[in-house]
């Protein structure tokens, strides 16, 4: 039954398969956008505490430097 379930587009544009970390990053950014950048609301929506969200966002920023 699981194979029959419709799968969201998990492939990258280059045809590879996105990692869980990459998907998590995309989802967190999407949630933040949906709540207008409110980190407290985003953390509540994600089911994590605000400090965990802050650490994830800091790690994403550090990756880009």
């Amino acid at each position: 039954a699981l194979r029959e379930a419709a799968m969201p587009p998990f492939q990258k544009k280059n045809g590879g398969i996105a990692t869980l970390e990459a998907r998590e990053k995309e989802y967190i950014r999407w949630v933040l956008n949906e709540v207008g950048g409110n980190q407290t609301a985003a953390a509540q929506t994600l089911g994590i505490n605000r400090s965990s969200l802050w650490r994830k966002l800091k790690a994403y920023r550090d990756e880009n430097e």
Side-chain angles (χ1 to χ4, degrees):
L2 190 56
R3 286 181 178 245
E4 296 173 12
M7 294 296 291
F10 288 122
Q11 289 188 326
K12 293 182 185 178
K13 291 178 183 174
N14 67 3
I17 298 174
T19 64
L20 182 58
E21 182 180 3
R23 297 301 293 189
E24 179 186 60
K25 188 186 307 185
E26 290 173 20
Y27 183 61
I28 288 172
R29 288 182 176 153
W30 179 81
V31 169
L32 275 167
N33 185 56
E34 290 295 305
V35 297
N38 183 320
Q39 291 184 10
T40 301
Q44 289 173 341
T45 300
L46 293 165
I48 60 176
N49 62 44
R50 192 177 183 287
S51 60
S52 294
L53 176 60
W54 182 85
R55 279 192 298 276
K56 288 179 182 290
L57 294 173
K58 183 180 182 317
Y60 300 157
R61 282 191 301 271
D62 292 346
E63 285 176 4
N64 293 328
E65 292 178 357

